[in-house]
Amino acid sequence: MTKPTPHSPDTSATRDAYTEALADYVLAFGIAASSLRPMAKAAETSDRMLVYHFGSKAGVMEAALTRIVERNSSALDAALPPSPLPAQQLMPMIGMAMAGPLFHQSIAVFLELASLAQRGDATAKTMGFGIASHLHE
């Protein structure tokens, strides 16, 4: 029997469940407080299993941050009409959609990421570019 890979169908549901818990943890505690052991505890697994599923701590963080972006995108998609609107109508709608706690927590996390990247943290820069490319997909 071959060992399942992190991207095999056998582990995708587990990976998704971990990613949800990891995103919740990062939103609650921020990036600086997000070390593997507490994150693993929040995901009800071990730090070794997180590394197995995500490859590294950076992979764990990137998955959590990407899930936060996906949540925000889904919330905006649900709050905004499907047809284009003039900016004068659209901007207040975006403002109202972003007034909730999900966006407040997310903004704090992404400002923390930007701050780390600005101070020369190579991992933060890489994660920031990864998230930006995800937004352009």
Side-chain angles (χ1 to χ4, degrees):
M1 183 172 157
T2 60
K3 181 178 175 184
T5 65
H7 303 291
S8 72
D10 298 336
T11 61
S12 64
T14 301
R15 182 181 164 92
D16 281 347
Y18 289 162
T19 303
E20 289 297 327
L22 296 168
D24 290 342
Y25 186 89
V26 172
L27 285 171
F29 298 101
I31 295 170
S34 295
S35 62
L36 278 179
R37 286 192 178 125
M39 292 175 80
K41 185 175 180 181
E44 298 180 1
T45 191
S46 69
D47 53 335
R48 287 181 176 191
M49 287 306 296
L50 291 181
V51 171
Y52 170 78
H53 283 281
F54 300 100
S56 65
K57 181 183 178 187
V60 170
M61 289 302 298
E62 188 170 342
L65 294 171
T66 299
R67 183 58 47 96
I68 293 167
V69 169
E70 291 167 352
R71 288 178 184 177
N72 289 344
S73 294
S74 294
L76 280 175
D77 287 345
L80 300 175
S83 58
L85 292 175
Q88 293 172 328
Q89 290 177 314
L90 187 59
M91 293 309 288
M93 295 172 89
I94 292 172
M96 288 180 62
M98 294 182 69
L102 171 64
F103 285 97
H104 289 175
Q105 291 172 316
S106 299
I107 289 168
V109 166
F110 290 114
L111 286 174
E112 183 180 3
L113 181 66
S115 175
L116 290 168
Q118 180 61 31
R119 286 186 261 146
D121 184 316
T123 302
K125 285 181 183 180
T126 301
M127 285 188 285
F129 284 122
I131 291 164
S133 69
H134 177 77
L135 290 172
H136 293 290
E137 291 177 352

